[in-house]
Amino acid sequence: HFNGEIVAVSHELRDYMLTSRFTARRVGVIHNGIEPGPAPSRAERLRARRVLGVDDTAFVVMAVARLDPVKDFPTLIEAFAIVRRQLPHARLVIVGDGPERARLETCVDASNLAASVDIIGYRSGVRQLLPAADLYVSSSISEGISITILEAMAAKVPVVATAVGGTPEVLPTPAEGGILVPSRDSGRLAAAIVSLERDPATRAAIAAAGRRRLESAFNLDRMVGDYVRTYRRLVG
């Protein structure tokens, strides 16, 4: 909040604020950004897989979030049950903790997925774990600009995400880093995961595109520069 001006992290959030009777001229948009860092190496991928106890032949789907209803992990688990019927070597790693953990563990057991789904709790070094993934998935029903999606893009991991909140602004097309699916649709989510597992060339192209988009449009320097320009405009 800058001297009467409010900054939203996405255009979708700005539009929502305008429907809540905020004045348009008072609400701007500055997307979140992160430090890209170096792209992970093959050795870092193998190290991350060792930390997670994942065999290098497994197809690893990863999700990172607080275990909260808004992240809709039950739909992801339901989708993964469909995936496993087609891809027996698939593994789902969920990183995070929260009030939904017991319910999600029950969902995993009820779906006979205990041997292929790992809910590993909170980890502080998520960016060191992301290179273990072949695919990053976000199943949220509401989202701003997801930092973990940006971190997956930095790690050159292709993304499948629900088309909610600011996510379509981050990933408008597959050529820019990810595939979007409707929220609460386990069938469409499963189909996207299976199609990417079966097409390594497309996975690699999406991963490279996501890294380029992160570097150009969602990097930390861009975000800081936008805030600095906003401050200068308001004080000048």
Side-chain angles (χ1 to χ4, degrees), residues 95-170:
V95 184
D97 213 336
E100 288 275 281
R101 182 164 184 169
R103 178 190 177 202
L104 298 180
E105 289 171 341
T106 299
C107 288
V108 168
D109 290 340
S111 301
N112 296 314
L113 292 172
S116 58
V117 177
D118 299 307
I119 302 175
I120 67 172
Y122 172 79
R123 298 292 178 93
S124 60
V126 168
R127 290 192 72 166
Q128 285 71 53
L129 296 179
L130 279 165
D134 295 292
L135 191 63
Y136 182 86
V137 175
S138 172
S139 54
S140 295
I141 58 173
S142 179
E143 197 67 73
I145 295 293
S146 169
I147 296 297
T148 51
I149 286 178
L150 299 183
E151 289 176 333
M153 294 164 71
K156 293 189 75 173
V157 178
V159 176
V160 173
T162 47
V164 300
T167 302
E169 297 170 39
V170 179

Side-chain angles (χ1 to χ4, degrees), residues 12-133:
E12 188 272 343
L13 178 56
R14 180 181 187 271
D15 291 344
Y16 172 78
M17 294 170 74
L18 297 186
T19 65
S20 301
R21 301 191 178 183
F22 284 86
T23 304
R25 63 179 174 76
R26 290 185 55 209
V27 186
V29 175
I30 296 178
H31 288 125
N32 290 335
I34 65 169
E35 175 56 53
S41 66
R42 170 73 176 169
E44 287 168 321
R45 170 183 164 86
L46 295 174
R47 188 180 308 119
R49 287 194 163 219
R50 285 197 299 271
V51 169
L52 294 173
V54 177
D55 187 274
D56 197 42
T57 62
F59 181 77
V60 176
V61 178
M62 186 178 290
V64 181
R66 176 172 165 76
L67 307 187
D68 183 273
V70 75
K71 302 301 182 181
D72 195 21
F73 280 111
T75 291
L76 175 55
I77 292 168
E78 185 178 321
F80 192 72
I82 299 170
V83 169
R84 277 283 295 185
R85 291 197 285 272
Q86 301 175 68
L87 306 174
H89 63 299
R91 292 279 298 273
L92 173 61
V93 177
I94 297 174
V95 184
D97 213 336
E100 288 275 281
R101 182 164 184 169
R103 178 190 177 202
L104 298 180
E105 289 171 341
T106 299
C107 288
V108 168
D109 290 340
S111 301
N112 296 314
L113 292 172
S116 58
V117 177
D118 299 307
I119 302 175
I120 67 172
Y122 172 79
R123 298 292 178 93
S124 60
V126 168
R127 290 192 72 166
Q128 285 71 53
L129 296 179
L130 279 165

